[in-house]
């Protein structure tokens, strides 16, 4: 049985995952669109990060759902952070942390011989 090789280093992915999580947590959710986009592009462009595609897709989908609800809502708040339900913001933060932790855990795996 061959062990799964360790993930390659991806600074854009890990910095984006942590920064988007932080930005949503401190009520700068609209600015988080940039790191979320960078995280998605980083995972899609690097084939060796395939193990993180589901985590990244869940994270991006949660953020995109909040952004879409803000954009199409009948009574829009002046900012995305004020419009996000607290449970939705917590879900985005939890998924961002899960993506970052999954990257760190999979990165620590021993490389195949």
């Amino acid at each position: 049985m061959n062990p799964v090789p360790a993930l390659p280093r991806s600074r854009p992915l890990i910095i984006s995952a942590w920064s988007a999580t932080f930005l949503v947590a401190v009520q700068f959710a609209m600015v988080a669109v940039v790191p979320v986009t960078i995280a998605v592009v980083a995972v899609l462009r690097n084939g060796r990060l395939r193990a993180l595609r589901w985590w990244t897709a869940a994270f991006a989908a949660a953020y995109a759902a909040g952004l879409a609800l803000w954009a199409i809502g009948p009574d829009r708040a002046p900012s995305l952070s004020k419009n996000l339900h607290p449970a939705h913001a917590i879900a985005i933060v939890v998924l961002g942390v899960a993506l970052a932790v999954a990257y760190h855990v999979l990165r620590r795996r021993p490389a195949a011989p």
Side-chain angles (χ1 to χ4, degrees):
M1 183 168 131
N2 292 336
V4 177
L7 291 179
R9 179 177 294 172
S10 179
R11 282 195 179 140
L13 170 65
I14 197 61
I15 290 171
S16 296
W18 283 117
S19 63
T21 300
F22 175 76
L23 288 169
V24 171
V26 297
Q27 301 293 308
F28 284 101
M30 185 58 85
V31 180
V33 71
V34 174
V36 169
T37 304
I38 291 171
V40 170
V41 169
V43 168
L44 291 178
R45 290 195 71 202
N46 192 340
R48 297 186 325 177
L49 294 174
R50 181 177 300 262
L52 296 175
R53 286 190 179 170
W54 285 105
W55 290 107
T56 308
F59 177 53
Y63 182 81
L67 189 62
L69 289 172
W70 173 77
I72 63 174
D75 52 343
R76 293 189 347 184
S79 73
L80 177 60
S81 298
K82 293 183 189 304
N83 197 56
L84 278 178
H85 189 275
H88 196 143
I90 290 171
I92 295 170
V93 169
V94 167
L95 286 169
V97 169
L99 171 62
V101 169
Y103 171 81
H104 288 301
V105 168
L106 293 175
R107 177 105 172 96
R108 301 255 182 215
R109 284 187 179 174

